[in-house]
Amino acid sequence: MSSSINARAFCKYRGGKWEVYTVCPPAEILLTIVVNSKELISIVCSPDNMEQLTIGFLYNEGVITSIDEIKSLEVDTVNCVACVMLTKEQFPKPHKLILTPGFGGGIIFSQEKMRKDIEMFLNIHPERLCFLMEEMKNNAVHYKRSGGIHASAVCDDQGIVIQAEDVGRHNTMDKVMGEALMKKISLQGKLMLTTGRISSEMILKASNMGIPIMASLSSPTTKAVDLARKTGIGLAGYVQKDQFIAYANADHFKDGD
């Protein structure tokens, strides 16, 4: 995220006085994804890991089912265009475009496609969950530098496996998925952590990624809670050093002994 290191001077009010405050605002671009020479969508995102974002987005939205279906992928970082050629001429067309209230990447095509072939159960000790959340926060380099950045991470029993940052909370999940596909890492049965509010479409992404537990520093929406209960995903919010709220399927958050 090289463009995020461009520091700018602002006026800050503190203790009854104004002072010059230098900070690096988070950068954002509009990435256009072109599939088989046809424009598919444009996404507001951070200007890094655009290849991972593109692959993860296509997978999470059902356009591809495997990275092997991608014949070529070229990212024009100057014009912010990702051109994808698939091994197939025809691919599942998103038939229901939904604009969601999330900032950046808050766009999905349908909430009707959900994986049914995954084992949706995992136990994690509450203290372990809190520890991993702190670890993700400590690893959030760009957030520490500029603020205004979201992070997501997937973890296994050894710790954090993949972590991504972006101005869009949905984009972080797509970046994680993209990197997992590129590295041939299965996310099934792993824990997903995120910094932002969890919406219903993020639960849908988690379900399609094979994620049985999702936890956030913030809160879930009511629709996210309902969908998590329906899919069996353990859902936790306001995760801090020694506390959190289990919004759905609390049996996930216990000692696995």
Side-chain angles (χ1 to χ4, degrees), residues 103 143 148-152 164-169 172 194-197:
F103 174 81
Y143 176 80
I149 295 286
H150 285 294
S152 286
E165 294 180 75
D166 198 277
V167 291
R169 53 198 168 92
T172 61
T194 189
T195 56
R197 182 182 71 256

Side-chain angles (χ1 to χ4, degrees), residues 217-230:
L217 288 173
S218 187
S219 68
T221 65
T222 54
K223 287 187 177 181
V225 173
D226 292 341
L227 189 57
R229 289 174 176 172
K230 179 181 179 181

Side-chain angles (χ1 to χ4, degrees), residues 110-111 113-114 200-208 227:
S110 173
Q111 290 194 351
K113 297 179 180 179
M114 299 187 67
S200 58
E201 64 269 19
M202 293 176 74
I203 293 294
L204 181 66
K205 285 181 186 288
S207 174
N208 290 334
L227 189 57

Side-chain angles (χ1 to χ4, degrees), residues 46-76:
S46 297
D48 73 314
N49 297 336
M50 287 182 277
E51 187 177 28
Q52 290 90 331
L53 173 60
T54 300
I55 295 172
F57 179 84
L58 294 178
Y59 179 87
N60 283 336
E61 299 305 330
V63 177
I64 63 172
T65 60
S66 167
I67 194 171
D68 296 331
E69 295 179 7
I70 297 179
K71 182 188 299 184
S72 65
L73 169 57
E74 296 183 3
V75 177
D76 181 345

Side-chain angles (χ1 to χ4, degrees), residues 112-129:
E112 299 172 0
K113 297 179 180 179
M114 299 187 67
R115 289 183 59 179
K116 306 295 184 182
D117 61 333
I118 53 180
E119 177 59 45
M120 295 299 291
F121 196 80
L122 174 70
N123 283 338
I124 184 168
H125 194 282
E127 292 182 2
R128 179 63 175 169
L129 175 63

Side-chain angles (χ1 to χ4, degrees), residues 32-35 38-42 57-58 63 91 93-94 109:
T32 298
I33 298 177
V34 178
V35 179
K38 294 183 180 180
E39 185 174 323
L40 182 67
I41 196 170
S42 293
F57 179 84
L58 294 178
V63 177
F91 56 89
K93 299 294 195 304
F109 294 115

Side-chain angles (χ1 to χ4, degrees), residues 3-244:
S3 56
S4 68
I5 64 174
N6 297 324
R8 301 180 185 179
F10 299 90
C11 293
K12 181 178 182 179
Y13 183 80
R14 180 171 59 181
K17 297 180 180 180
W18 289 98
E19 60 185 47
V20 176
Y21 181 69
T22 302
V23 67
C24 301
E28 67 176 77
I29 62 167
L30 188 66
L31 174 67
T32 298
I33 298 177
V34 178
V35 179
N36 289 352
S37 302
K38 294 183 180 180
E39 185 174 323
L40 182 67
I41 196 170
S42 293
I43 304 175
V44 176
C45 64
S46 297
D48 73 314
N49 297 336
M50 287 182 277
E51 187 177 28
Q52 290 90 331
L53 173 60
T54 300
I55 295 172
F57 179 84
L58 294 178
Y59 179 87
N60 283 336
E61 299 305 330
V63 177
I64 63 172
T65 60
S66 167
I67 194 171
D68 296 331
E69 295 179 7
I70 297 179
K71 182 188 299 184
S72 65
L73 169 57
E74 296 183 3
V75 177
D76 181 345
T77 58
V78 176
N79 297 304
C80 301
V81 177
C83 294
V84 183
M85 294 300 295
L86 302 180
T87 57
K88 51 190 181 183
E89 292 185 5
Q90 302 297 323
F91 56 89
K93 299 294 195 304
H95 63 278
K96 186 187 296 183
L97 178 63
I98 303 174
L99 251 62
T100 70
F103 174 81
I107 299 175
I108 61 172
F109 294 115
S110 173
Q111 290 194 351
E112 299 172 0
K113 297 179 180 179
M114 299 187 67
R115 289 183 59 179
K116 306 295 184 182
D117 61 333
I118 53 180
E119 177 59 45
M120 295 299 291
F121 196 80
L122 174 70
N123 283 338
I124 184 168
H125 194 282
E127 292 182 2
R128 179 63 175 169
L129 175 63
C130 296
F131 172 82
L132 289 171
M133 185 65 77
E134 288 298 309
E135 184 175 8
M136 182 186 71
K137 289 166 56 180
N138 291 335
N139 291 341
V141 177
H142 298 302
Y143 176 80
K144 290 179 181 178
R145 177 183 295 153
S146 63
I149 295 286
H150 285 294
S152 286
V154 286
C155 313
D156 59 15
D157 54 1
Q158 301 299 312
I160 293 177
V161 179
I162 300 172
Q163 181 164 333
E165 294 180 75
D166 198 277
V167 291
R169 53 198 168 92
H170 306 78
N171 296 343
T172 61
M173 294 184 69
D174 288 334
K175 286 183 177 180
V176 165
M177 186 72 249
E179 184 169 342
L181 289 170
M182 293 170 70
K183 294 182 177 179
K184 300 188 182 302
I185 298 174
S186 172
L187 300 187
Q188 186 167 333
K190 291 181 172 57
L191 164 70
M192 170 70 75
L193 303 175
T194 189
T195 56
R197 182 182 71 256
I198 297 178
S199 56
S200 58
E201 64 269 19
M202 293 176 74
I203 293 294
L204 181 66
K205 285 181 186 288
S207 174
N208 290 334
M209 293 163 74
I211 300 293
I213 295 179
M214 192 163 187
S216 175
L217 288 173
S218 187
S219 68
T221 65
T222 54
K223 287 187 177 181
V225 173
D226 292 341
L227 189 57
R229 289 174 176 172
K230 179 181 179 181
T231 58
I233 291 177
L235 180 59
Y238 293 113
V239 181
Q240 301 177 26
K241 290 184 178 180
D242 59 354
Q243 61 182 321
F244 62 86

